[in-house]
Amino acid sequence: MTRLIGPELPLDLLQRFSPQGFQKHAHNVVLVMTVDEDGFPHVAMLSHFEVIALDSRNLRLAIYSDSRTASNMRRTGHLTLAVIDGDVAYYLKGNIEEVRSQMETTPHSALFNFHIVSVNADHANFEREGATSITCGISYDDPNMTMKVANADKTFAEMLR
C-alpha cells in the first residue's frame, strides 16, 4: 500500500544518494519514468553512479544526452523515479530541468536537476497481504565496476557543482 511521505527524501534515500552511500547500492538500478510524445509511459534505468543528492529536495541525474528519456524530460519537465530493492520501494515525483547539455567527465551525458515534489513509500498491507515483502529489485553486473567506483568521485563532484 502506497503512502505519501512528503516533498523530501527520507534519510535512508538521502544517505543512499550521497557520495559516501552509493557504494552499498552500486549494483542496484533506479527506474526512470517519463511520458513519450504519444502519451505512453517510457521506462529507463540508471545506475547509482548517475544519481546524486544535492540536498533533500534535489537530485542531480546524468542522462545520455541523445536518449529518448532526455528528450521526454526536456519536453515535459516532469519525471518519476522508482527505487525498489530489498524491503525498499519509493516513488519520487518531481520537476526536471537541464543544467548542462554535456558533462566533462561523461561527455555523452547531460546533467539534469530533479526537484522533488512528492515521495511515496510502498509497503505491504499486513491485513490484506500478510508478511509479504520485496526480496530484491533490479540489479546489474558490470565488469568495469572497480573503474567506475574509482572514477565516481570526479563525476559526483561535477554533478554537485
Side-chain angles (χ1 to χ4, degrees):
M1 187 162 158
T2 304
R3 67 176 173 53
L4 178 65
I5 300 292
E8 295 185 295
L9 292 172
L11 185 58
D12 61 329
L13 281 185
L14 188 59
Q15 290 171 339
R16 172 187 291 246
F17 292 127
S18 74
Q20 299 77 31
F22 85 96
Q23 283 194 32
K24 181 179 176 185
H25 304 284
H27 291 278
N28 297 100
V29 167
V30 176
L31 291 175
V32 179
M33 286 149 279
T34 59
V35 176
D36 70 16
E37 298 88 355
D38 297 320
F40 288 100
H42 174 75
V43 181
M45 294 184 279
L46 292 177
S47 74
H48 277 67
F49 295 96
E50 298 164 306
V51 183
I52 189 88
L54 190 60
D55 55 44
S56 64
R57 300 278 316 261
N58 294 278
L59 295 175
R60 291 287 173 93
L61 309 176
I63 306 282
Y64 287 170
S65 57
D66 61 349
S67 67
R68 189 176 320 192
T69 298
S71 176
N72 291 340
M73 291 187 321
R74 289 178 184 117
R75 184 177 38 74
T76 67
H78 299 292
L79 181 68
T80 298
L81 296 181
V83 180
I84 304 168
D85 61 75
D87 288 325
V88 173
Y90 288 109
Y91 315 120
L92 291 68
K93 295 179 183 181
N95 302 311
I96 191 85
E97 178 179 33
E98 190 168 13
V99 176
R100 280 195 298 285
S101 62
Q102 184 177 25
M103 294 180 60
E104 296 167 18
T105 54
T106 54
H108 55 276
S109 295
L111 181 63
F112 288 86
N113 189 74
F114 176 55
H115 181 74
I116 297 164
V117 174
S118 70
V119 177
N120 289 279
D122 205 344
H123 300 283
N125 179 318
F126 188 77
E127 292 174 8
R128 294 181 185 167
E129 300 164 320
T132 302
S133 65
I134 297 168
T135 57
C136 67
I138 302 170
S139 60
Y140 71 104
D141 189 28
D142 185 339
N144 298 314
M145 189 64 76
T146 303
M147 184 181 72
K148 282 186 170 182
V149 170
N151 292 325
D153 287 345
K154 287 184 237 168
T155 302
F156 289 153
E158 179 182 358
M159 292 172 76
L160 292 170
R161 279 193 301 220

